[in-house]
Amino acid sequence: MIRHIAMFTWTAEATDEQKAAVATALDELPGLIPQIRSFAAAPDAGISQGNYDFAVVADFDSADDFLVYRDDPRHQAVIAERIKPILASRAAAQLSL
C-alpha cells in the first residue's frame, strides 16, 4: 500500500472562500479516480502552533495507482486552479506500508 501525504501552507492573502474551494474540489476526487482506496483532506485542527494549514492523506493499493492519481488531469486541474493560486509552501511524502 502507498500512503500519500501532502501538506500546504496558504498565503496571507488567501480568502476563506478560496480555502473552502480547495477542500470541495479535493473531496470530489475519490468519486472520479477509482484508484483512490481512502482519502481525507481537511484544514489543520489548530491544536499545535506552527503546523501546515491543510493536509491530504490518500491511500492506494500500489505505486502505479498513486501515479494514476498524481497524473490524472482532474487532480492536476485542482492543483493548477485551486491550490497553486493560494499556495505559500508544500511538503509531501509517499510511504510504502
Side-chain angles (χ1 to χ4, degrees), residues 9-63:
T9 299
W10 306 132
T11 62
E13 298 79 24
T15 67
D16 289 342
E17 292 79 16
Q18 287 173 304
K19 296 173 195 178
V22 168
T24 299
L26 287 170
D27 285 343
E28 293 175 359
L29 293 178
L32 301 172
I33 304 171
Q35 288 80 4
I36 298 171
R37 180 201 260 182
S38 70
F39 192 89
D44 180 67
I47 298 166
S48 298
Q49 292 184 2
N51 286 358
Y52 283 81
D53 296 322
F54 192 92
V56 175
V57 178
D59 292 339
F60 303 89
D61 287 330
S62 67

Side-chain angles (χ1 to χ4, degrees), residues 44-85:
D44 180 67
I47 298 166
S48 298
Q49 292 184 2
N51 286 358
Y52 283 81
D53 296 322
F54 192 92
V56 175
V57 178
D59 292 339
F60 303 89
D61 287 330
S62 67
D64 287 341
D65 284 352
F66 166 72
L67 294 174
V68 169
Y69 161 79
R70 184 195 69 186
D71 298 337
D72 188 284
R74 295 161 295 191
H75 176 230
Q76 289 299 314
V78 172
I79 293 168
E81 297 167 13
R82 301 292 182 197
I83 295 172
K84 283 189 177 180

